[in-house]
Amino acid sequence: MANTVNPPRGMRDFLPADKARREHALGVIRAGYAAQGFDEIETPVMEDASRLHSGLGGDNEKLAFGILRRGLSADAVAELAAVGDLEGLTDLGLRFDLTVPLARFYASHRAALPNVFKSIQIAPVWRAERPQKGRYRQFVQCDIDIIGEPGAIAEIELITATIATLDALGLTGCAIRINHRAILRSLIASWGVAEADYERAMITIDKEDKIGVEGVVAELVDLGLVDDSASQTVAESLSGLPDDGWNLDRGVVPPPAWLDTDAYRQLHEIRDAVAAVAPGTPLVFSHNLVRGMGYYTGAIFEIQHPELGYSLGGGGRYDGMIGRFLGTDVPAVGFSLGFERIVDLITVPEDRQTDGIVLVYDRDVEPATLLRIKTQLVGSGARVRLERRVKNLKPLLERLADAGYTRFAPVMSDTRQVSDLQFRDLA
């Protein structure tokens, strides 16, 4: 029996039609973000292991692929592995996201960049995930970030640029869920949770949509983050929120005592500005939106599709990250599209497909004639493929139609120029 030859687990090959759809989506995303005033950069696929494991990447740091130090002998590798000395084994790692490399990039090139830097990064990242449907070990991220702007204008610009790009991709009907880390922290503090346990409590709150308020309360108690005596308070503060979370401080209901009103007003500012620019896309205040990364410090947001149970992207403000590399804090906020999820939802519009022509030639056609005709067609804007005539053309033409070609024409020994061709549809 022949061995099955597949790519490594969690990684994929892409057939021509799949690759064409991906490149179309990437082209739309790049053009959309560039039109909004963002500039594309590129960073190495590897970063120093110490930066990738600096505590900025949350749980994703545990999924980083490490690269063995050069020059280590087999005995040295075995000895270091036996004592669990990962720092001794590796000095580099594959990036697990694009935000940590961007922070390092900005710290490296700050003098050459404008005071407010708006970047695009579109590139593959790697995580040692357990492969399953929708989870891969190599995947593409599409990020836009604004560094150096402390005001809410940065969040507003990122959200509106992302909405415009989703519209250009044909993904309509999406909503943006939004929350603020300061609101989450004030909510958790009202339950008596120790500050050191805030991040763990947030992970539990993030499950509310799946396990409900009672499930959140039970898990917080099981983890020892809140006492049984506080469980009623937790349940009331989560379930007592109105359906329209935007009314918490507008006199419709009394504002909760735990609400961070400054952060809440900032979310209103973002919502009102986005509504003025993109009135068809609602911003939904979600008290249980957490976003997993530990580096978020302010507003956080996520794309919600009406027919899907998972997000199509998200981001937020991470003012403390660049200071780890630069020694001085720099405000920063970013938005990342879930490219692998988005690309499965789109189709390439017919009016954006290049005219694809297949020239089926006989064996006795002169190569110079064949290439001259092909060159003329390519010069007119067509995509042209040469195929030698075979006995049964049907399977060949069906495969080429699936690859996006739309017409074919026989080229015979007496064909001399494009006007001699007789085109037929491949449909």
Side-chain angles (χ1 to χ4, degrees):
M1 181 183 294
N3 291 329
T4 301
V5 183
N6 291 321
R9 290 189 67 223
M11 299 182 182
R12 297 164 292 166
D13 295 323
F14 296 105
L15 293 171
D18 298 322
K19 180 64 173 175
R21 186 171 66 253
R22 292 172 70 85
E23 290 302 318
H24 163 73
L26 290 172
V28 172
I29 292 168
R30 279 193 168 95
Y33 285 155
Q36 298 282 343
F38 292 81
D39 296 314
E40 189 162 4
I41 65 169
E42 184 173 333
T43 59
V45 303
M46 295 181 291
E47 293 285 347
D48 286 342
S50 59
R51 295 194 182 104
L52 293 175
H53 296 278
S54 60
L56 297 173
D59 287 342
N60 286 332
E61 292 189 5
K62 302 173 185 176
L63 302 176
F65 283 101
I67 298 173
L68 282 177
R69 292 179 182 272
R70 292 184 61 189
L72 285 179
S73 67
D75 289 341
V77 170
E79 183 178 342
L80 291 168
V83 298
D85 184 2
L86 298 182
E87 291 184 5
L89 281 171
T90 64
D91 57 350
L92 297 171
L94 294 176
R95 62 190 178 204
F96 53 74
D97 73 358
L98 297 177
T99 307
V100 173
L102 174 63
R104 195 273 310 152
F105 173 92
Y106 183 83
S108 299
H109 302 284
R110 185 181 187 184
L113 299 173
N115 291 335
V116 177
F117 178 52
K118 302 177 181 180
S119 75
I120 306 169
Q121 272 195 104
I122 300 177
V125 300
W126 293 265
R127 295 179 190 171
E129 296 272 10
R130 179 176 297 173
Q132 54 185 291
K133 181 176 175 57
R135 286 193 178 273
Y136 308 105
R137 289 178 171 174
Q138 176 179 319
F139 54 96
V140 171
Q141 285 191 338
C142 302
D143 288 12
I144 49 173
D145 294 80
I146 298 178
I147 300 176
E149 173 54 64
I153 182 63
E155 283 89 343
I156 294 164
E157 191 168 6
L158 288 175
I159 292 172
T160 54
T162 298
I163 291 170
T165 300
L166 290 173
D167 288 344
L169 287 167
L171 295 174
T172 58
C174 294
I176 306 294
R177 299 176 66 204
I178 191 168
N179 198 4
H180 200 290
R181 278 298 178 99
I183 292 176
L184 281 167
R185 288 193 295 270
S186 63
L187 173 61
I188 294 168
S190 73
W191 302 337
V193 176
E195 187 172 353
D197 294 326
Y198 282 3
E199 290 294 329
R200 185 64 191 86
M202 288 184 192
I203 293 172
T204 301
I205 294 172
D206 197 37
K207 301 176 184 178
E208 184 185 328
D209 290 336
K210 296 180 179 179
I211 65 176
V213 170
E214 291 184 1
V216 170
V217 174
E219 183 168 315
L220 291 172
V221 172
D222 288 343
L223 292 170
L225 301 181
V226 298
D227 297 330
D228 277 325
S229 59
S231 60
Q232 185 65 26
T233 301
V234 175
E236 290 176 354
S237 59
L238 291 175
S239 59
L241 293 171
D243 291 337
D244 182 0
W246 294 115
N247 290 329
L248 293 181
D249 67 345
R250 294 294 174 95
V252 178
V253 294
W258 52 263
L259 183 67
D260 186 309
T261 54
D262 289 339
Y264 192 63
R265 279 194 292 269
Q266 185 186 83
L267 296 187
H268 268 285
E269 179 185 356
I270 295 170
R271 184 200 68 163
D272 294 344
V274 171
V277 177
T281 303
L283 258 68
V284 180
F285 174 72
S286 297
H287 69 275
N288 57 8
L289 175 64
V290 171
R291 302 290 301 166
M293 293 299 188
Y295 53 64
Y296 289 128
T297 59
I300 48 178
F301 25 81
E302 197 169 83
I303 305 168
Q304 185 178 46
H305 190 279
E307 299 175 5
L308 302 176
Y310 48 79
S311 74
L312 296 181
R317 181 166 286 276
Y318 53 97
D319 285 350
M321 179 183 287
I322 296 174
R324 298 277 193 97
F325 299 131
L326 200 58
T328 180
D329 283 342
V330 179
V333 59
F335 208 139
S336 180
L337 288 178
F339 178 76
E340 306 299 344
R341 292 175 172 179
I342 285 174
V343 75
D344 289 338
L345 299 175
I346 69 168
T347 56
V348 181
E350 291 185 4
D351 60 354
R352 295 192 181 185
Q353 295 177 353
T354 303
D355 184 20
I357 296 173
V358 181
L359 298 179
V360 180
Y361 63 94
D362 291 336
R363 292 178 179 271
D364 55 355
V365 174
E366 290 289 336
T369 300
L370 186 63
L371 270 296
R372 183 176 65 252
I373 292 172
K374 177 184 177 182
T375 300
Q376 291 172 356
L377 289 170
V378 171
S380 69
R383 175 190 180 205
V384 184
R385 183 182 180 93
L386 302 178
E387 290 286 351
R388 190 188 299 272
R389 182 182 294 278
V390 294
K391 186 174 182 180
N392 185 2
L393 269 178
K394 185 177 179 181
L396 171 64
L397 297 180
E398 287 177 348
R399 178 174 60 81
L400 292 169
D402 290 339
Y405 291 90
T406 55
R407 297 186 292 162
F408 78 100
V411 181
M412 296 170 286
S413 58
D414 59 349
T415 304
R416 293 290 178 267
Q417 54 194 2
V418 172
S419 59
D420 296 333
L421 299 174
Q422 295 184 354
F423 293 101
R424 306 176 195 174
D425 291 338
L426 276 173

